[in-house]
Amino acid sequence: RPAYRLNPALLPFTRVLASVEEGPAAFNAALADYRSAIADLPAVRASADKAAYEAWLNAFDPTALAKWLYLVAAVLCFTSFLGWHASLNRFVSWLLVATVAVHTFAVLSRIWLTGRPPVVNLYSSAVFIGWACVLAGLALEALFRMGIGNLVAAASGFLTLMVAYGLDTGDT
């Protein structure tokens, strides 16, 4: 039976906690000691990479970008019913393909960050269901080329991402 080993980061962590009342200089020094103590732990390196990626992803916010691109696509789709149907409808199709690529990037990023399937809470369910509806609308448009599939894709993408935005409160 292996002997118990003390985690090498435990004492530096307690010094971080104790240095809170000593001022910023003491806290920063204790924090630097703690970071050097945990730097070699493999789980810490992996979680630090994920944390940095998640911070970048939150700043980029691909679901918000996709939401507004879906709205633009829906407005253009309605406009295509008034005139320039063929060329504007083709442009909307390509805009939707680009937007679903952004949406797919968001779904895949959340899967990688959480290590779980894309349906774990109401927010991620809304994002995933919207993604599936957009793909179904694009498939309809590829089959019939009347603009209705584009409208279904754009409207469902926008509405489900609006629902997801409303659910982004930590709901599980």
Side-chain angles (χ1 to χ4, degrees), residues 13-35:
F13 181 70
T14 58
R15 281 195 290 273
V16 169
L17 295 176
S19 69
V20 169
E21 295 178 0
E22 296 174 17
F27 178 79
N28 288 337
L31 185 61
D33 290 342
Y34 175 69
R35 284 186 173 162

Side-chain angles (χ1 to χ4, degrees), residues 103 106-112 114-133 167 171-172:
H103 198 158
V107 169
L108 293 176
S109 292
R110 296 307 309 170
I111 291 170
W112 180 72
T114 61
R116 296 185 174 150
V119 182
V120 294
N121 59 21
L122 291 176
Y123 169 79
S124 63
S125 298
V127 172
F128 181 73
I129 289 168
W131 175 79
C133 289
L167 293 172
D171 179 35
T172 58

Side-chain angles (χ1 to χ4, degrees), residues 50-116:
K50 281 189 174 185
Y53 181 76
E54 187 170 13
W56 175 83
L57 185 69
N58 289 338
F60 175 52
D61 202 2
T63 54
L65 176 63
K67 174 178 60 176
W68 296 117
L69 288 173
Y70 286 134
L71 180 62
V72 168
V75 169
L76 288 174
C77 194
F78 279 120
T79 305
S80 77
F81 294 136
L82 299 175
W84 311 295
H85 180 72
S87 58
L88 197 51
N89 192 42
R90 191 173 23 242
F91 175 75
V92 169
S93 293
W94 285 110
L95 176 61
L96 286 170
V97 167
T99 305
V100 82
V102 172
H103 198 158
T104 302
F105 173 72
V107 169
L108 293 176
S109 292
R110 296 307 309 170
I111 291 170
W112 180 72
L113 285 170
T114 61
R116 296 185 174 150

